[in-house]
Amino acid sequence: MGEVETLEGVAVARIDAAEDLAALEALRVEYLGKQGSISGLLKTLGGMSPEERQTEGPKIHALREVVQAALAARKDGLEGAALEARLAAETLDLSLPAPDAPKGSVHPVSQVMDELAEIFADMGFAVATGPEIEDDWYNFTALNMPESHPARAMHDTFYFPDTAPQGGRMLLRTHTSPVQVRTMMAEGTPLRIIAPGRVYRSDSDATHTPMFHQVEGLVIDKDIHLGHLKWTLETFLKAFFERDDIVLRLRPSYFPFTEPSVEVDVGFAIENGPDGKGRRVLGGSGDEPGHGWMELLGSGMVNRKVIEMSGLDPDQWQGFAFGVGVDRLAMLKYGMDDLRAFFDGDVRWLKHYGFSAFDQPTLSGGVGARA
Ligand code: DAH
């Protein structure tokens, strides 16, 4: 066997045995590279006699072709095997449970505020906001509580040392009612708004925290009367508590910013919970045996003086307003009994009472539905 045949046998065997693409590339260089042995053989053609060239030339060219073909075939084989291996290693089992990554939750107060916005939006109310650092004038004076008014003392106000632009002192708003005045001044009439947000009072026990949440409601239009107020509150509370048997009782009361003022009670029944303890469940008239009335919110027809101080003509425009504790609503609906836990930031509490970000309240899906 001549040199060419020997070389071919060895080259093809080595190429077929190449373990990976790097080894294969080394062989290509060794045989076909500039300094390669087959390239070297091709160069010898120049120094041969014509006869010799005639017999050796085709052999060497054939050798080159065989080696090139062997390299290409092995390359295909190695690449195919590499792809198979990758596909086998990278399988993804979509039926496996998602890894247990830490998840955040939506605080019940945020959830309830979203529920309120959803319910009132359906009745044509927009959401309004105002500052938490408030001017004495908006928080008290414009709401018919002048400097010397005794109702101011009931608010346990946090004051700042700073003097307010309107003359009094700056303070942390004690209720969401100043948003009534700000919205009337900024937007004029007619108005249908709710104003949810944080309020502050220097008070702390199981049912009071120095910061808590209220939602204010305000309707200003022509010929508005207490019937509109009662219907609105009834419709809201039925949607919120998802019960048709919510019964309200309006009691005469006093707030400086409404005239007349009414306190709204809601009827409840006492039912035995799973722990055997009696719990209050909203629904039904509070006058039935085994039932009672629970005070829920303050409201009334907006006082003429407030409408006037907000720059509107009280002979033309009337309205009603209400204010209710959001935390209280959350406690009643979702069964929490200590308000302080709302603001402790304990992840176990949040895990238990919090909501998934997917629990978007919608009227069609139920405002209290958990995904
Ligand atoms: N601002 C009152 C409070 O914080 C609640 C309230 C009562 C709001 C009657 C109103 C209202 O709008 O009409 O105690």
Side-chain angles (χ1 to χ4, degrees):
M1 216 171 20
E3 193 190 352
V4 169
E5 286 81 4
T6 317
L7 189 62
E8 182 181 307
V10 174
V12 170
R14 289 181 68 201
I15 288 168
D16 286 348
E19 276 186 7
D20 52 35
L21 290 166
L24 194 65
E25 175 61 10
L27 289 171
R28 187 191 67 75
V29 172
E30 185 179 331
Y31 291 111
L32 301 177
K34 264 201 182 136
Q35 315 292 329
S37 45
I38 295 175
S39 310
L41 279 177
L42 283 166
K43 281 179 207 149
T44 61
L45 290 174
M48 288 180 188
S49 66
E51 296 76 36
E52 244 184 330
R53 200 179 300 142
Q54 221 153 40
T55 54
E56 290 304 310
K59 279 199 225 163
I60 298 172
H61 280 292
L63 166 66
R64 192 176 62 169
E65 266 160 40
V66 168
V67 170
Q68 266 173 343
L71 283 168
R74 186 64 191 145
K75 192 168 181 227
D76 273 356
L78 284 173
E79 279 174 351
L83 183 62
E84 285 302 322
R86 232 181 97 189
L87 288 175
E90 290 181 2
T91 49
L92 185 61
D93 184 349
L94 293 174
S95 68
L96 284 174
D100 199 13
K103 279 192 217 91
S105 62
V106 176
H107 196 284
V109 170
S110 302
Q111 185 75 11
V112 163
M113 294 217 243
D114 287 349
E115 292 175 15
L116 297 173
E118 175 71 12
I119 293 167
F120 279 100
D122 196 52
M123 294 195 268
F125 285 65
V127 173
T129 54
E132 290 169 30
I133 296 174
E134 189 51 287
D135 186 316
D136 184 294
W137 188 82
Y138 290 100
N139 195 82
F140 292 125
T141 313
L143 291 164
N144 195 29
M145 283 183 271
E147 207 98 10
S148 56
H149 201 287
R152 284 193 175 214
M154 286 161 53
H155 277 230
D156 302 309
T157 313
F158 288 112
Y159 282 100
F160 290 98
D162 316 60
T163 308
Q166 306 271 3
R169 273 160 74 197
M170 293 304 284
L171 47 80
L172 286 173
R173 69 178 179 190
T174 58
H175 50 179
T176 43
S177 302
V179 185
Q180 288 187 30
V181 178
R182 286 184 173 275
T183 313
M184 280 189 267
M185 293 177 90
E187 301 195 6
T189 52
L191 273 184
R192 264 189 242 181
I193 54 135
I194 57 165
R198 296 191 178 103
V199 300
Y200 303 83
R201 289 186 203 179
S202 174
D203 201 354
S204 189
D205 60 33
T207 52
H208 297 88
T209 46
M211 185 282 296
F212 58 104
H213 300 82
Q214 286 187 336
V215 63
E216 195 78 11
L218 175 70
V219 168
I220 297 284
D221 211 320
K222 297 200 163 157
D223 304 320
I224 297 292
H225 53 75
L226 270 181
H228 294 122
L229 168 65
K230 190 173 186 213
W231 179 87
T232 304
L233 291 177
E234 243 163 34
T235 306
F236 148 52
L237 292 169
K238 281 178 182 171
F240 180 74
F241 289 108
E242 294 176 276
R243 298 182 66 118
D244 276 334
D245 63 345
I246 296 286
V247 180
L248 299 186
R249 181 177 77 173
L250 270 52
R251 264 184 306 113
S253 183
Y254 174 75
F255 300 104
F257 32 92
T258 44
E259 181 57 39
S261 300
V262 287
E263 203 109 42
V264 178
D265 299 339
V266 58
F268 64 87
I270 298 196
E271 282 176 14
N272 274 340
D275 53 359
K277 280 194 218 149
R279 18 175 227 135
R280 293 171 166 202
V281 178
L282 296 192
S285 159
D287 291 332
E288 288 168 41
H291 288 233
W293 293 108
M294 179 189 321
E295 192 182 306
L296 196 60
L297 55 91
S299 62
M301 300 305 295
V302 182
N303 193 309
R304 294 178 58 86
K305 289 190 192 161
V306 175
I307 294 182
E308 217 163 53
M309 276 188 276
S310 305
L312 304 176
D313 177 0
D315 289 324
Q316 268 202 61
W317 301 100
Q318 299 80 45
F320 65 78
F322 60 87
V324 54
V326 174
D327 317 275
R328 182 93 195 295
L329 286 176
M331 290 167 91
L332 279 170
K333 182 163 176 180
Y334 295 114
M336 292 78 103
D337 55 14
D338 192 338
L339 180 64
R340 288 168 296 197
F342 275 56
F343 311 117
D344 281 347
D346 185 328
V347 287
R348 291 162 304 178
W349 188 89
L350 285 167
K351 204 169 171 177
H352 185 78
Y353 287 109
F355 290 79
S356 154
F358 296 112
D359 292 325
Q360 297 261 0
T362 60
L363 287 178
S364 55
V367 284
R370 280 183 198 254

PDB file of all heavy atoms in Angstrom, residues 256-290:
ATOM      1  N   PRO A 256     -70.480  69.654  63.585  1.00  0.00           N
ATOM      2  CA  PRO A 256     -70.514  71.077  63.220  1.00  0.00           C
ATOM      3  C   PRO A 256     -70.663  71.294  61.712  1.00  0.00           C
ATOM      4  O   PRO A 256     -71.190  72.314  61.285  1.00  0.00           O
ATOM      5  CB  PRO A 256     -69.152  71.596  63.703  1.00  0.00           C
ATOM      6  CG  PRO A 256     -68.647  70.576  64.661  1.00  0.00           C
ATOM      7  CD  PRO A 256     -69.244  69.276  64.270  1.00  0.00           C
ATOM      8  N   PHE A 257     -70.185  70.330  60.906  1.00  0.00           N
ATOM      9  CA  PHE A 257     -70.150  70.539  59.447  1.00  0.00           C
ATOM     10  C   PHE A 257     -71.372  70.000  58.722  1.00  0.00           C
ATOM     11  O   PHE A 257     -71.431  70.057  57.498  1.00  0.00           O
ATOM     12  CB  PHE A 257     -68.865  69.960  58.856  1.00  0.00           C
ATOM     13  CG  PHE A 257     -68.340  68.750  59.582  1.00  0.00           C
ATOM     14  CD1 PHE A 257     -68.714  67.471  59.192  1.00  0.00           C
ATOM     15  CD2 PHE A 257     -67.488  68.904  60.665  1.00  0.00           C
ATOM     16  CE1 PHE A 257     -68.235  66.365  59.875  1.00  0.00           C
ATOM     17  CE2 PHE A 257     -67.019  67.798  61.362  1.00  0.00           C
ATOM     18  CZ  PHE A 257     -67.390  66.526  60.976  1.00  0.00           C
ATOM     19  N   THR A 258     -72.339  69.420  59.462  1.00  0.00           N
ATOM     20  CA  THR A 258     -73.574  68.973  58.816  1.00  0.00           C
ATOM     21  C   THR A 258     -74.768  69.495  59.594  1.00  0.00           C
ATOM     22  O   THR A 258     -74.696  69.713  60.806  1.00  0.00           O
ATOM     23  CB  THR A 258     -73.648  67.422  58.767  1.00  0.00           C
ATOM     24  OG1 THR A 258     -73.234  66.912  60.024  1.00  0.00           O
ATOM     25  CG2 THR A 258     -72.789  66.865  57.660  1.00  0.00           C
ATOM     26  N   GLU A 259     -75.877  69.714  58.873  1.00  0.00           N
ATOM     27  CA  GLU A 259     -77.109  70.167  59.515  1.00  0.00           C
ATOM     28  C   GLU A 259     -78.295  69.808  58.634  1.00  0.00           C
ATOM     29  O   GLU A 259     -78.400  70.365  57.536  1.00  0.00           O
ATOM     30  CB  GLU A 259     -77.047  71.678  59.763  1.00  0.00           C
ATOM     31  CG  GLU A 259     -78.276  72.227  60.453  1.00  0.00           C
ATOM     32  CD  GLU A 259     -78.575  71.552  61.788  1.00  0.00           C
ATOM     33  OE1 GLU A 259     -77.615  71.261  62.544  1.00  0.00           O
ATOM     34  OE2 GLU A 259     -79.757  71.287  62.063  1.00  0.00           O
ATOM     35  N   PRO A 260     -79.167  68.859  58.974  1.00  0.00           N
ATOM     36  CA  PRO A 260     -79.075  68.067  60.191  1.00  0.00           C
ATOM     37  C   PRO A 260     -77.954  67.012  60.098  1.00  0.00           C
ATOM     38  O   PRO A 260     -77.500  66.678  59.015  1.00  0.00           O
ATOM     39  CB  PRO A 260     -80.447  67.385  60.248  1.00  0.00           C
ATOM     40  CG  PRO A 260     -80.858  67.248  58.807  1.00  0.00           C
ATOM     41  CD  PRO A 260     -80.322  68.483  58.130  1.00  0.00           C
ATOM     42  N   SER A 261     -77.561  66.491  61.263  1.00  0.00           N
ATOM     43  CA  SER A 261     -76.548  65.446  61.313  1.00  0.00           C
ATOM     44  C   SER A 261     -77.204  64.137  61.716  1.00  0.00           C
ATOM     45  O   SER A 261     -78.132  64.140  62.534  1.00  0.00           O
ATOM     46  CB  SER A 261     -75.484  65.782  62.360  1.00  0.00           C
ATOM     47  OG  SER A 261     -74.855  67.001  62.063  1.00  0.00           O
ATOM     48  N   VAL A 262     -76.740  63.068  61.129  1.00  0.00           N
ATOM     49  CA  VAL A 262     -77.271  61.761  61.528  1.00  0.00           C
ATOM     50  C   VAL A 262     -76.138  60.780  61.783  1.00  0.00           C
ATOM     51  O   VAL A 262     -75.112  60.786  61.102  1.00  0.00           O
ATOM     52  CB  VAL A 262     -78.228  61.156  60.460  1.00  0.00           C
ATOM     53  CG1 VAL A 262     -79.559  61.881  60.447  1.00  0.00           C
ATOM     54  CG2 VAL A 262     -77.604  61.149  59.093  1.00  0.00           C
ATOM     55  N   GLU A 263     -76.380  59.965  62.792  1.00  0.00           N
ATOM     56  CA  GLU A 263     -75.452  58.871  63.076  1.00  0.00           C
ATOM     57  C   GLU A 263     -76.124  57.641  62.477  1.00  0.00           C
ATOM     58  O   GLU A 263     -77.326  57.462  62.628  1.00  0.00           O
ATOM     59  CB  GLU A 263     -75.326  58.707  64.581  1.00  0.00           C
ATOM     60  CG  GLU A 263     -74.054  58.043  65.013  1.00  0.00           C
ATOM     61  CD  GLU A 263     -73.105  59.048  65.695  1.00  0.00           C
ATOM     62  OE1 GLU A 263     -73.561  59.873  66.498  1.00  0.00           O
ATOM     63  OE2 GLU A 263     -71.909  58.964  65.400  1.00  0.00           O
ATOM     64  N   VAL A 264     -75.361  56.816  61.745  1.00  0.00           N
ATOM     65  CA  VAL A 264     -75.973  55.675  61.082  1.00  0.00           C
ATOM     66  C   VAL A 264     -75.592  54.395  61.817  1.00  0.00           C
ATOM     67  O   VAL A 264     -74.408  54.100  62.009  1.00  0.00           O
ATOM     68  CB  VAL A 264     -75.525  55.608  59.603  1.00  0.00           C
ATOM     69  CG1 VAL A 264     -76.125  54.387  58.925  1.00  0.00           C
ATOM     70  CG2 VAL A 264     -75.941  56.879  58.883  1.00  0.00           C
ATOM     71  N   ASP A 265     -76.621  53.660  62.242  1.00  0.00           N
ATOM     72  CA  ASP A 265     -76.401  52.366  62.902  1.00  0.00           C
ATOM     73  C   ASP A 265     -76.764  51.260  61.924  1.00  0.00           C
ATOM     74  O   ASP A 265     -77.615  51.449  61.049  1.00  0.00           O
ATOM     75  CB  ASP A 265     -77.312  52.222  64.127  1.00  0.00           C
ATOM     76  CG  ASP A 265     -77.037  53.288  65.176  1.00  0.00           C
ATOM     77  OD1 ASP A 265     -75.929  53.859  65.166  1.00  0.00           O
ATOM     78  OD2 ASP A 265     -77.939  53.549  66.004  1.00  0.00           O
ATOM     79  N   VAL A 266     -76.132  50.108  62.093  1.00  0.00           N
ATOM     80  CA  VAL A 266     -76.454  48.966  61.238  1.00  0.00           C
ATOM     81  C   VAL A 266     -76.867  47.793  62.135  1.00  0.00           C
ATOM     82  O   VAL A 266     -76.268  47.580  63.199  1.00  0.00           O
ATOM     83  CB  VAL A 266     -75.260  48.633  60.299  1.00  0.00           C
ATOM     84  CG1 VAL A 266     -73.992  48.338  61.072  1.00  0.00           C
ATOM     85  CG2 VAL A 266     -75.588  47.477  59.368  1.00  0.00           C
ATOM     86  N   GLY A 267     -77.911  47.074  61.725  1.00  0.00           N
ATOM     87  CA  GLY A 267     -78.412  45.959  62.525  1.00  0.00           C
ATOM     88  C   GLY A 267     -77.506  44.740  62.426  1.00  0.00           C
ATOM     89  O   GLY A 267     -76.912  44.474  61.383  1.00  0.00           O
ATOM     90  N   PHE A 268     -77.373  44.023  63.559  1.00  0.00           N
ATOM     91  CA  PHE A 268     -76.570  42.790  63.530  1.00  0.00           C
ATOM     92  C   PHE A 268     -77.269  41.709  64.350  1.00  0.00           C
ATOM     93  O   PHE A 268     -78.139  41.989  65.184  1.00  0.00           O
ATOM     94  CB  PHE A 268     -75.154  43.030  64.062  1.00  0.00           C
ATOM     95  CG  PHE A 268     -75.107  43.428  65.520  1.00  0.00           C
ATOM     96  CD1 PHE A 268     -75.073  42.448  66.520  1.00  0.00           C
ATOM     97  CD2 PHE A 268     -75.096  44.760  65.897  1.00  0.00           C
ATOM     98  CE1 PHE A 268     -75.030  42.813  67.865  1.00  0.00           C
ATOM     99  CE2 PHE A 268     -75.050  45.130  67.239  1.00  0.00           C
ATOM    100  CZ  PHE A 268     -75.021  44.161  68.229  1.00  0.00           C
ATOM    101  N   ALA A 269     -76.878  40.461  64.084  1.00  0.00           N
ATOM    102  CA  ALA A 269     -77.362  39.329  64.877  1.00  0.00           C
ATOM    103  C   ALA A 269     -76.179  38.746  65.620  1.00  0.00           C
ATOM    104  O   ALA A 269     -75.034  38.904  65.183  1.00  0.00           O
ATOM    105  CB  ALA A 269     -77.955  38.275  63.946  1.00  0.00           C
ATOM    106  N   ILE A 270     -76.450  38.108  66.753  1.00  0.00           N
ATOM    107  CA  ILE A 270     -75.345  37.421  67.439  1.00  0.00           C
ATOM    108  C   ILE A 270     -75.406  35.940  67.073  1.00  0.00           C
ATOM    109  O   ILE A 270     -76.418  35.278  67.270  1.00  0.00           O
ATOM    110  CB  ILE A 270     -75.427  37.633  68.957  1.00  0.00           C
ATOM    111  CG1 ILE A 270     -75.296  39.131  69.217  1.00  0.00           C
ATOM    112  CG2 ILE A 270     -74.349  36.821  69.667  1.00  0.00           C
ATOM    113  CD1 ILE A 270     -74.976  39.536  70.613  1.00  0.00           C
ATOM    114  N   GLU A 271     -74.327  35.465  66.465  1.00  0.00           N
ATOM    115  CA  GLU A 271     -74.276  34.051  66.062  1.00  0.00           C
ATOM    116  C   GLU A 271     -73.093  33.399  66.742  1.00  0.00           C
ATOM    117  O   GLU A 271     -72.097  34.051  67.026  1.00  0.00           O
ATOM    118  CB  GLU A 271     -74.105  33.938  64.535  1.00  0.00           C
ATOM    119  CG  GLU A 271     -75.398  34.172  63.792  1.00  0.00           C
ATOM    120  CD  GLU A 271     -75.201  34.157  62.271  1.00  0.00           C
ATOM    121  OE1 GLU A 271     -74.130  33.708  61.821  1.00  0.00           O
ATOM    122  OE2 GLU A 271     -76.120  34.622  61.574  1.00  0.00           O
ATOM    123  N   ASN A 272     -73.202  32.076  66.968  1.00  0.00           N
ATOM    124  CA  ASN A 272     -72.084  31.371  67.572  1.00  0.00           C
ATOM    125  C   ASN A 272     -71.021  31.056  66.531  1.00  0.00           C
ATOM    126  O   ASN A 272     -71.321  30.478  65.497  1.00  0.00           O
ATOM    127  CB  ASN A 272     -72.559  30.079  68.244  1.00  0.00           C
ATOM    128  CG  ASN A 272     -73.023  30.360  69.664  1.00  0.00           C
ATOM    129  OD1 ASN A 272     -72.660  31.387  70.259  1.00  0.00           O
ATOM    130  ND2 ASN A 272     -73.836  29.471  70.202  1.00  0.00           N
ATOM    131  N   GLY A 273     -69.800  31.486  66.797  1.00  0.00           N
ATOM    132  CA  GLY A 273     -68.698  31.208  65.877  1.00  0.00           C
ATOM    133  C   GLY A 273     -68.211  29.777  66.052  1.00  0.00           C
ATOM    134  O   GLY A 273     -68.715  29.052  66.924  1.00  0.00           O
ATOM    135  N   PRO A 274     -67.229  29.343  65.243  1.00  0.00           N
ATOM    136  CA  PRO A 274     -66.701  27.978  65.328  1.00  0.00           C
ATOM    137  C   PRO A 274     -66.097  27.688  66.709  1.00  0.00           C
ATOM    138  O   PRO A 274     -66.071  26.548  67.167  1.00  0.00           O
ATOM    139  CB  PRO A 274     -65.613  27.929  64.251  1.00  0.00           C
ATOM    140  CG  PRO A 274     -65.610  29.259  63.571  1.00  0.00           C
ATOM    141  CD  PRO A 274     -66.593  30.159  64.229  1.00  0.00           C
ATOM    142  N   ASP A 275     -65.622  28.743  67.406  1.00  0.00           N
ATOM    143  CA  ASP A 275     -65.016  28.570  68.730  1.00  0.00           C
ATOM    144  C   ASP A 275     -66.071  28.577  69.841  1.00  0.00           C
ATOM    145  O   ASP A 275     -65.732  28.575  71.019  1.00  0.00           O
ATOM    146  CB  ASP A 275     -63.991  29.688  68.973  1.00  0.00           C
ATOM    147  CG  ASP A 275     -64.589  31.086  68.746  1.00  0.00           C
ATOM    148  OD1 ASP A 275     -65.793  31.170  68.381  1.00  0.00           O
ATOM    149  OD2 ASP A 275     -63.857  32.076  68.930  1.00  0.00           O
ATOM    150  N   GLY A 276     -67.385  28.597  69.453  1.00  0.00           N
ATOM    151  CA  GLY A 276     -68.440  28.594  70.459  1.00  0.00           C
ATOM    152  C   GLY A 276     -68.738  29.967  71.031  1.00  0.00           C
ATOM    153  O   GLY A 276     -69.713  30.149  71.739  1.00  0.00           O
ATOM    154  N   LYS A 277     -67.882  30.948  70.708  1.00  0.00           N
ATOM    155  CA  LYS A 277     -68.104  32.300  71.216  1.00  0.00           C
ATOM    156  C   LYS A 277     -69.095  33.021  70.313  1.00  0.00           C
ATOM    157  O   LYS A 277     -69.104  32.821  69.105  1.00  0.00           O
ATOM    158  CB  LYS A 277     -66.789  33.087  71.211  1.00  0.00           C
ATOM    159  CG  LYS A 277     -65.887  32.768  72.391  1.00  0.00           C
ATOM    160  CD  LYS A 277     -64.782  33.822  72.494  1.00  0.00           C
ATOM    161  CE  LYS A 277     -63.477  33.187  72.898  1.00  0.00           C
ATOM    162  NZ  LYS A 277     -62.298  33.838  72.378  1.00  0.00           N
ATOM    163  N   GLY A 278     -69.919  33.880  70.902  1.00  0.00           N
ATOM    164  CA  GLY A 278     -70.879  34.651  70.108  1.00  0.00           C
ATOM    165  C   GLY A 278     -70.160  35.727  69.321  1.00  0.00           C
ATOM    166  O   GLY A 278     -69.235  36.356  69.823  1.00  0.00           O
ATOM    167  N   ARG A 279     -70.516  35.905  68.048  1.00  0.00           N
ATOM    168  CA  ARG A 279     -69.942  37.012  67.291  1.00  0.00           C
ATOM    169  C   ARG A 279     -71.053  37.772  66.581  1.00  0.00           C
ATOM    170  O   ARG A 279     -72.109  37.223  66.298  1.00  0.00           O
ATOM    171  CB  ARG A 279     -68.889  36.568  66.281  1.00  0.00           C
ATOM    172  CG  ARG A 279     -68.914  35.128  65.939  1.00  0.00           C
ATOM    173  CD  ARG A 279     -67.957  34.779  64.865  1.00  0.00           C
ATOM    174  NE  ARG A 279     -68.715  33.945  63.932  1.00  0.00           N
ATOM    175  CZ  ARG A 279     -68.697  34.056  62.639  1.00  0.00           C
ATOM    176  NH1 ARG A 279     -67.941  34.943  62.070  1.00  0.00           N
ATOM    177  NH2 ARG A 279     -69.444  33.276  61.890  1.00  0.00           N
ATOM    178  N   ARG A 280     -70.756  39.038  66.321  1.00  0.00           N
ATOM    179  CA  ARG A 280     -71.750  39.882  65.660  1.00  0.00           C
ATOM    180  C   ARG A 280     -71.674  39.667  64.165  1.00  0.00           C
ATOM    181  O   ARG A 280     -70.603  39.772  63.573  1.00  0.00           O
ATOM    182  CB  ARG A 280     -71.444  41.343  65.948  1.00  0.00           C
ATOM    183  CG  ARG A 280     -71.629  41.698  67.413  1.00  0.00           C
ATOM    184  CD  ARG A 280     -71.092  43.085  67.662  1.00  0.00           C
ATOM    185  NE  ARG A 280     -71.546  43.573  68.956  1.00  0.00           N
ATOM    186  CZ  ARG A 280     -71.600  44.852  69.276  1.00  0.00           C
ATOM    187  NH1 ARG A 280     -71.217  45.768  68.404  1.00  0.00           N
ATOM    188  NH2 ARG A 280     -72.021  45.225  70.464  1.00  0.00           N
ATOM    189  N   VAL A 281     -72.823  39.370  63.566  1.00  0.00           N
ATOM    190  CA  VAL A 281     -72.883  39.225  62.117  1.00  0.00           C
ATOM    191  C   VAL A 281     -73.876  40.258  61.599  1.00  0.00           C
ATOM    192  O   VAL A 281     -75.032  40.291  62.033  1.00  0.00           O
ATOM    193  CB  VAL A 281     -73.321  37.804  61.720  1.00  0.00           C
ATOM    194  CG1 VAL A 281     -73.416  37.682  60.209  1.00  0.00           C
ATOM    195  CG2 VAL A 281     -72.350  36.773  62.281  1.00  0.00           C
ATOM    196  N   LEU A 282     -73.407  41.123  60.700  1.00  0.00           N
ATOM    197  CA  LEU A 282     -74.282  42.184  60.197  1.00  0.00           C
ATOM    198  C   LEU A 282     -75.446  41.601  59.414  1.00  0.00           C
ATOM    199  O   LEU A 282     -75.316  40.594  58.738  1.00  0.00           O
ATOM    200  CB  LEU A 282     -73.482  43.134  59.302  1.00  0.00           C
ATOM    201  CG  LEU A 282     -72.366  43.923  59.968  1.00  0.00           C
ATOM    202  CD1 LEU A 282     -71.870  45.015  59.042  1.00  0.00           C
ATOM    203  CD2 LEU A 282     -72.824  44.530  61.289  1.00  0.00           C
ATOM    204  N   GLY A 283     -76.578  42.262  59.508  1.00  0.00           N
ATOM    205  CA  GLY A 283     -77.755  41.843  58.742  1.00  0.00           C
ATOM    206  C   GLY A 283     -78.985  41.800  59.614  1.00  0.00           C
ATOM    207  O   GLY A 283     -78.897  41.494  60.804  1.00  0.00           O
ATOM    208  N   GLY A 284     -80.122  42.152  59.044  1.00  0.00           N
ATOM    209  CA  GLY A 284     -81.389  42.137  59.775  1.00  0.00           C
ATOM    210  C   GLY A 284     -81.568  43.395  60.607  1.00  0.00           C
ATOM    211  O   GLY A 284     -80.625  44.174  60.816  1.00  0.00           O
ATOM    212  N   SER A 285     -82.794  43.599  61.100  1.00  0.00           N
ATOM    213  CA  SER A 285     -83.066  44.763  61.933  1.00  0.00           C
ATOM    214  C   SER A 285     -82.489  44.526  63.322  1.00  0.00           C
ATOM    215  O   SER A 285     -82.588  43.424  63.866  1.00  0.00           O
ATOM    216  CB  SER A 285     -84.578  44.978  62.037  1.00  0.00           C
ATOM    217  OG  SER A 285     -84.858  45.762  63.170  1.00  0.00           O
ATOM    218  N   GLY A 286     -81.916  45.579  63.889  1.00  0.00           N
ATOM    219  CA  GLY A 286     -81.374  45.467  65.236  1.00  0.00           C
ATOM    220  C   GLY A 286     -82.439  45.314  66.300  1.00  0.00           C
ATOM    221  O   GLY A 286     -82.119  45.014  67.461  1.00  0.00           O
ATOM    222  N   ASP A 287     -83.699  45.524  65.934  1.00  0.00           N
ATOM    223  CA  ASP A 287     -84.781  45.453  66.917  1.00  0.00           C
ATOM    224  C   ASP A 287     -85.289  44.039  67.154  1.00  0.00           C
ATOM    225  O   ASP A 287     -86.031  43.799  68.099  1.00  0.00           O
ATOM    226  CB  ASP A 287     -85.954  46.353  66.482  1.00  0.00           C
ATOM    227  CG  ASP A 287     -85.576  47.836  66.568  1.00  0.00           C
ATOM    228  OD1 ASP A 287     -84.718  48.169  67.408  1.00  0.00           O
ATOM    229  OD2 ASP A 287     -86.125  48.626  65.781  1.00  0.00           O
ATOM    230  N   GLU A 288     -84.915  43.089  66.282  1.00  0.00           N
ATOM    231  CA  GLU A 288     -85.388  41.711  66.479  1.00  0.00           C
ATOM    232  C   GLU A 288     -84.719  41.101  67.712  1.00  0.00           C
ATOM    233  O   GLU A 288     -83.622  41.512  68.092  1.00  0.00           O
ATOM    234  CB  GLU A 288     -85.022  40.860  65.250  1.00  0.00           C
ATOM    235  CG  GLU A 288     -85.862  41.179  64.026  1.00  0.00           C
ATOM    236  CD  GLU A 288     -85.286  40.537  62.781  1.00  0.00           C
ATOM    237  OE1 GLU A 288     -84.841  39.375  62.870  1.00  0.00           O
ATOM    238  OE2 GLU A 288     -85.261  41.206  61.731  1.00  0.00           O
ATOM    239  N   PRO A 289     -85.382  40.087  68.308  1.00  0.00           N
ATOM    240  CA  PRO A 289     -84.777  39.437  69.481  1.00  0.00           C
ATOM    241  C   PRO A 289     -83.426  38.822  69.101  1.00  0.00           C
ATOM    242  O   PRO A 289     -83.288  38.263  68.012  1.00  0.00           O
ATOM    243  CB  PRO A 289     -85.778  38.333  69.845  1.00  0.00           C
ATOM    244  CG  PRO A 289     -87.028  38.614  69.069  1.00  0.00           C
ATOM    245  CD  PRO A 289     -86.688  39.527  67.945  1.00  0.00           C
ATOM    246  N   GLY A 290     -82.464  38.953  69.977  1.00  0.00           N
ATOM    247  CA  GLY A 290     -81.133  38.400  69.694  1.00  0.00           C
ATOM    248  C   GLY A 290     -80.319  39.276  68.747  1.00  0.00           C
ATOM    249  O   GLY A 290     -79.238  38.897  68.313  1.00  0.00           O
TER     250      GLY A 290
END
